[in-house]
Structure formats: C-alpha cells, structure tokens
Amino acid sequence: MRKNAGKKRVRLLGICCNWSPFACYNAAGMNRLAMPPDFRLMRVMCIGRINQALILRAFEYGADGVILLECLDDDCRYGPGPGVGHENVRRVRRLLHLLGIDQERLVECSFGAHEKEVLVETLWRFADEIRTLGPMTEGNVLGVKRPAL
Amino acid sequence: MNEIDRIIRAQALFQCLECGKCSAACPRRLTGKDYSPRLLAHKVIAEREDEAFIENAVWDCLSCGMCSERCPSGVKFSGFILEMRSLLAEKKGLKGYRAHDGAVHSWMRMMTAPELRQNRLDWVPKTLQVADSGEVAFFVGCAPYFDVFFSGIDVDTLSIAKDSIRLLNFMDIKPVLLRDERCCGHDLLWTGDRENFERLCRLNCETFRSAGVREIIVSCPECYHVLSEHMPRVVPGFDIKITLLLDLLQREMRKGGMTFRGLKRRVTYQDPCRLGRMAGRYAAPRELLGLIPEMRFEEMENSGPSALCCGNCGFINCDAHSKQIQVLRLQEARATGADLLVTACPKCLIHLTCAVRDPLRQGSVKMEIRDILSVLANQIAWYGG
C-alpha cells in the first residue's frame, strides 16, 4: 500500500496530450504499473486545445485536483501546445487563488515519450498532494451537486 | 395559464403593431444576421408550433434594448427575452453559444458555493483608503477576475476599480470593500441560469447585511442594473441603498469645490446599454466629461438612446456579426475625429478592445479606449488647488 492510501477519496482529473504523455500512460498500462485510485484521464490531441474555461470547468464540476500532462516544450507536434498550457495554468491558478481555492490543486508536468516511470511517479505524487489538501468539501460543492464516488 | 402566455402579457407583446421598427434598428439585423425581433414576437403569439425558430431567436438576442427603445407601442422586448431564456433554460437546458467557452459563467457558478472564502482584495494598493467596517461599501464586482482572464488582450479592468476608489477617497469617502462579495450574477441572469443567479443574489445580500452596510456604491452599469432592479425582486425587503458612482460624482461636482484639470484630447463617448437604455443615464457622463477643460467632446452618429451595442452581452453569442457591430461602432468613433473613446462599462471596454486588436483589421479601427472613471480620476482636482 502506498502512503496516504487510507485518506479521504478525492476526485483527480488528468488532461493528457495524445502524444508523448499518452505514450507514457499507455506504456505504463502495458507494463501494469499501478495508478492512483480515483484518477480519471481525459485525452486531448494537444494541450494547446485546452483553454482556461475547460480547466475551470473541471473544478466547477467537482474535481479536487487537475493535472495537465504535456509534451516537452520542443516536442510539440503542432508547435505552441505546451506554451499555451503554461500560460493557461498560470492564469487559472490566479483565478483559483481569487476564488480562495488552493493553487496547488492545479498542476502541469511535461514528459518525453519514454518516461513512463516518471509519469506514474508524478501521478502518485499529485494524488498524494491532493489527498493531503483533502476534498474541497462534501456535498454541494461550487454550485454543483457531485455524484457519489 | 400557459407560462408563455403569461410572459407575453407581462411584457406587453400583444401591443405589437408589426411595424418592424425593432427589426430595422436591431444591431444584429444591421450586420446582416437573419434575426428579427418583430418576427419572433409574431411567431410566439401566432405560430408557437415553430419551436425551433423561437428557441434559436430567443438565444440570439444581444439584449441591448434598442428594439424596446424604438418600439412605438411599449413592447418590453428585453424583458420578454429575459423571461423566455429563464423559461427555456429550465425546460430544455442552457443554450446559446458561450463566448470564451463559458469560463466567465463557470467562475460565477463556482461563486454560488456558500463556503467559498475568496482572496479577491489582494490588489488594493496602500495608497487607497478603505475602511474595515462602515455603512458605505464599494462593490468591486468581477474586475479582479476579468483582469486575470483578459490579461492576454491588455484590458486592465482593475484600474477601473482602483480609479473608482480614488474618486471616492477624493470625495472623502472611505468605502468598505467586502472580501466575500460575489459576482452580481448579471451574466447568469441574462443567459437563463435563474437558479444560480438567485443564489448569488441571496449570498450577496447576506454579505451586505452581515457587514452592516447601508449603502453600496457601484461603478459597473451591469452591477447597478442587477443590484438596483433585480435584487429587490429576488430578495424581498432588500433595503440597502444602491448608488451609481457617476450619479454621486455628478451631485458632488454640482456642489462645487471640485474641478477637473485640462485634458487636450478629442473624445467621444460610447453609451453602455445597461447605463443608457436600461437606466436612463445619458446626461450624467456627458455633464461630467463636459466639465473637463480643453477637451473637445464629439458625439458619434448614433449616440444616446440610439447608441450602438458593443457587440455582446452576458458573454453569449459572440460571432462574426458581433465583431461586425464592434467594427461599425469603432468606425463611427473614428469618424468623429476623436482620438479617445470613453465608455462607462467594463464589458464595452473588453469587447471593443478585442475588436481593436483583431489582426484581420490591420489596425484600421485602432483607437485608445478608456473607462470614464479612469479619465475622471486622472483629471479631478480641488478648485483653485
């Protein structure tokens, strides 16, 4: 058992670029590396597709933590993807701070295509950190009724 | 009685003469969109089975109020749109294309959580005097949020809040800033999300009451529209006085003692719909701008009650036609020979700035745009001082 496994359950969302990070995620799955529980992955073609609204929406709909899994800055298949990700994370973190939500609940991380162990380790660390912060609150959170886990 | 029949009666739609003045004046129509308030009124009265048309048209309106302004028989078209949106949203879900993917509505809905403890006042500089408690509060609204969200197009909405407090300080008012105030909910109301709008109203009212506030000074016309008109309907017995900062300034200037320093600019003014057509404040901003010496004030071709919309309201349905309206408006402003466009609403500032920065226009509608409160705060001075 990993540490913190007994703590409260939290809702984790990973927004994952289809290229390097998803290759890592896929390889980790093929190698049967254990993933944190309550972690959901949303696969997108490029982190550059994700804007401030979509990250905010995840929190509005009840996520306790969101991690953006990006390619390395120079690896983007389309060009500006990771740069867009950095800028959006920077701004949404400021919005979360205004709303009184811990900025650490939004994380971004870049990976090369071969770094499956690093990705899994990052996800566990992310899950531990969010569990330490705890679920935002029970029941009616941020205006939306959350379904039971 | 059917709910739609009730709305038709309440908003006086039966008085429609089908003269078509509303459609002829509608900025949507003006830019070639296939949208007609007159036809919508006709359909909803006589051909209600055409649900697809009615639903589309209800969500297409910009709610700028030009149609009600032009209507010779007093149809309250904006009220009709407002009620229809709430009704349709309740029955069939929220519709209408949300600009910025609905981020603005997202944070407004997030603010409906009662346990939220915001950090919305980190920006207040030490040079501004604000009180911890007192009877007069200043409603900051969404300015800190817009400031972050729109930092990419260099719209500095926070400076409007800062300049408003500077003006209040100049008039010897130290306003209370409420850490737990929420968005006024204007955009949720006008996009049909009645439930969350009412939640925000109740939370705001609680915040005002628990802070012991008796009067709230508002700079944004949308906040003023909501707090003065809709708040008392949502919260019965809402007895807190809502004051528009421009009104307060106008009153204080008339008393004498304060004046403005000269500003050598040619200036024109954009009437925001919530301030002009909905609150009837055409004279106050013009009187205040008129007091600035050395400034030349030029009216645009369409001004006052005929002022053209800034292209969008409530952050829904921003499309090519919205952009066209903004470009038309900016061209009108430039045609006056003015080099500074003054507006009184942060949304006008955001939307018109967006059009100015449009790379496809190659700078052809470039113009400096500033909020009236920022202009006044920079020029205000003691008489003889």
Side-chain angles (χ1 to χ4, degrees), chain B residues 356-368:
Chain B
V356 164
R357 293 174 57 91
D358 184 357
L360 286 174
R361 303 285 159 193
Q362 299 183 326
S364 64
V365 286
K366 207 165 168 27
M367 187 154 203
E368 188 183 345

Side-chain angles (χ1 to χ4, degrees), chain A residues 49 51-54 56-57 59-60 87 90-91 94-101 137 140-143, chain B residues 100-103 106-107 109-113 115-120 122 144-145 148-149 151-152 199:
Chain A
R49 164 65 183 93
N51 54 24
Q52 298 179 74
L54 296 170
L56 269 180
R57 187 87 41 90
F59 287 102
E60 186 201 340
E87 180 60 23
R90 195 180 66 77
R91 284 197 213 160
R94 286 175 64 197
L95 289 173
L96 291 178
H97 175 71
L98 283 171
L99 284 164
I101 297 170
T137 33
N140 187 0
V141 186
L142 302 182
Chain B
H100 309 288
D101 268 346
S106 255
W107 77 60
R109 273 192 274 275
M110 285 161 93
M111 284 187 205
T112 58
E115 55 273 80
L116 211 63
R117 292 288 167 266
Q118 299 174 72
N119 303 304
R120 53 156 49 238
D122 293 356
Y145 290 84
V148 175
F149 192 80
S151 53
R199 263 191 213 150

